[in-house]
Amino acid sequence: MPVRTPLDANAILAATEEILRRHGPDKATVVDVARALGVSHAAVYKHFPSKQALREAVTRRWLDRNRDALAVIAADSAVPPARRLRAWLHAVLAMKQAKIGEDPELFAAYGMLAAAHSSVATDHVADLLGQLTAIIADGAADGSLRTDDAEATARVVFNATAKFHHLAHAGEWQNPGIGAELDEVCSLLLDGLQAATSP
């Protein structure tokens, strides 16, 4: 019998991702995960106290894979804030398109957590808003964007661009021309944010 490596949270999360891809979030069970790992479901529960906790952990890990790429765009001070804002919004759309196209089952699991008001969805949105706020704060600091409250302005921009990142609009993300639509919205928002910079 082969020597089994010790069971840890990462092995469980990796196995859970594969089970979710194979069975979808409605049919995947902790028993399926345990079977794939060759352990009892009790062994899985030692690391994750419930199916919900396991689903949240795997979805959080899946979402976080793109976090750093977006954070790099948000923090790139070599790019003027207005251009950075547009690039970041396009990158968020591209990330969402890739996630729904490449991993529809995990995207569905995220949708279920969002519908249940899970902290995973709340934290994901808070992280995106934090990055967006940082871009707008940089624009306010160098005078290229007009705002007295970067956080409030970020919420407005985020809400105004909901079609391009909110789950309710996922069915529209593969439409031809969706990138051009986002570009038009960006131009309108930036026209407003930059209005005070012109004499």
Side-chain angles (χ1 to χ4, degrees):
M1 205 170 164
V3 178
R4 181 173 299 284
T5 56
L7 184 67
D8 64 13
N10 283 329
I12 294 168
L13 291 174
T16 304
E17 270 196 37
E18 289 312 308
I19 294 298
L20 282 167
R21 286 188 181 104
R22 195 174 312 142
H23 301 294
D26 291 325
K27 295 182 181 174
T29 67
V30 174
V31 172
D32 293 327
V33 174
R35 190 177 299 125
L37 291 166
V39 299
S40 71
H41 65 282
V44 175
Y45 281 127
K46 284 181 183 174
H47 292 271
F48 298 96
S50 66
K51 178 180 177 180
Q52 177 77 359
L54 178 56
R55 183 174 286 176
E56 287 184 346
V58 77
T59 305
R60 189 181 300 276
R61 186 174 89 150
W62 177 73
L63 285 169
D64 283 351
R65 284 192 191 128
N66 299 95
R67 183 202 179 279
D68 290 345
L70 292 174
V72 166
I73 295 168
D76 187 357
S77 59
V79 177
R83 243 181 49 218
R84 206 184 325 160
L85 177 62
R86 188 185 298 269
W88 185 86
L89 288 166
H90 276 281
V92 171
L93 173 60
M95 176 196 78
K96 300 280 182 164
Q97 288 171 320
K99 285 197 172 295
I100 197 169
E102 296 164 11
D103 257 336
E105 295 83 7
L106 285 162
F107 194 87
Y110 171 59
M112 291 171 72
L113 292 174
H117 305 290
S118 163
S119 64
V120 172
T122 305
D123 292 347
H124 175 61
V125 169
D127 186 46
L128 293 178
L129 277 169
Q131 292 183 22
L132 187 53
T133 299
I135 297 169
I136 293 170
D138 284 353
D142 72 9
S144 63
L145 299 178
R146 175 177 57 108
T147 180
D148 295 325
D149 185 337
E151 190 174 342
T153 302
R155 279 195 305 273
V156 170
V157 170
F158 197 70
N159 290 335
T161 57
K163 177 178 179 176
F164 310 99
H165 58 76
H166 193 282
L167 289 168
H169 299 280
E172 301 172 67
W173 294 341
Q174 302 303 329
N175 289 351
I178 191 76
E181 285 183 46
L182 174 55
D183 221 40
E184 290 171 355
V185 173
C186 287
S187 293
L188 185 65
L189 290 168
L190 287 168
D191 281 350
L193 284 169
Q194 295 174 301
T197 65
S198 301

